[in-house]
Amino acid sequence: MIPYRPARIDTDEQLRRASDFYDEMDGRRSVRYFSDDPVPREVVEHAILTASTAPSGAHRQPWRFVLIGDPDVKRQIREAAEEEERINYEGGRLPDHWKEALEPLGTDWQKGYLEKVPWIVILFEERYGIDDDGERVHNFYVKESCGIAAGLFIAALHHAGLATLTHTPSPMAFLTKLLERPKNERPFCMFPIGYPSDDCVVPDLERKPLEDVMVEVGAASS
Ligand code: IYR
């Protein structure tokens, strides 16, 4: 154990920071229309480092972020993702209630942004570790850990002025094969990363107010 003594912030400053951070995050939107303007690799690498600060079960950090800037690999990902999504949208794999829920988002099987963006990051969950003797090592709370890391990643990208889409083409198994990942890794989420295009639009969504997302139980003492 080592001491951990982060400086206390006074209440006014605390409120200001909390509110400023909320405003910043409330300005984030998932983007499906990207420009092909370049984004420095270091910015994305720093966002991955930030994501990797996430708490994880037994500090196993059961994640691997696969970075793709190669146009040929991006094209292969687009083609494979579209093949799956075409079956979802047009081949009847998406149930009607799901299609209806997606209608306001205007999504379809076409995923042109996967080729347009300067970077794609694919977060793989590490289902189990492998020790020096090649033996399996149990990982804990893998989905929870990766979910938290994904959230920090999205926040870090937004903070750096970048846009992304939390994209989970379904099924995603094709990514393991295409990216030649070992069998202890499984795709968790895909993140096309770049700047929104000049003509980017997003659905006119509203977020739930605090009273719909928080309940207080009991009476706080202060
Ligand atoms: N994976 C599909 C469908 C999709 C599902 C949900 I839930 C969304 O919020 C958005 C899309 C696709 O990417 O089009």
Side-chain angles (χ1 to χ4, degrees), residues 157-169:
L157 292 171
H158 179 65
H159 187 61
L162 295 173
T164 190
L165 173 69
T166 315
H167 183 37
T168 49

Side-chain angles (χ1 to χ4, degrees), residues 32 85 88-89 94 98 102 105 107-109 111 113 165-170:
R32 291 182 173 80
E85 294 293 4
N88 289 336
Y89 284 89
L94 275 189
W98 196 331
L102 293 181
L105 303 181
T107 59
D108 61 29
W109 63 269
K111 306 297 173 193
Y113 49 77
L165 173 69
T166 315
H167 183 37
T168 49
S170 174

Side-chain angles (χ1 to χ4, degrees), residues 98-208:
W98 196 331
K99 271 190 171 169
E100 280 159 28
L102 293 181
E103 196 126 323
L105 303 181
T107 59
D108 61 29
W109 63 269
Q110 295 184 76
K111 306 297 173 193
Y113 49 77
L114 292 175
E115 244 183 292
K116 193 92 189 271
V117 286
W119 300 105
I120 298 175
V121 167
I122 301 174
L123 167 53
F124 281 76
E125 58 178 77
E126 193 188 74
R127 295 160 56 220
Y128 54 88
I130 298 170
D131 70 14
D132 293 342
D133 303 323
E135 296 294 322
R136 281 186 184 208
V137 180
H138 189 87
N139 281 340
F140 306 90
Y141 296 100
V142 171
K143 296 249 180 249
E144 292 83 349
S145 305
C146 286
I148 299 167
L152 290 182
F153 186 56
I154 292 163
L157 292 171
H158 179 65
H159 187 61
L162 295 173
T164 190
L165 173 69
T166 315
H167 183 37
T168 49
S170 174
M172 281 200 287
F174 69 90
L175 292 167
T176 305
K177 206 169 155 210
L178 201 154
L179 301 169
E180 297 177 359
R181 300 311 305 161
K183 69 176 191 313
N184 62 328
E185 292 181 13
R186 185 188 285 152
F188 183 78
C189 197
M190 178 143 117
F191 299 97
I193 295 163
Y195 299 102
S197 63
D198 288 340
D199 57 358
C200 177
V201 289
V202 295
D204 189 11
L205 302 180
E206 270 187 32
R207 294 191 161 105
K208 290 180 179 177

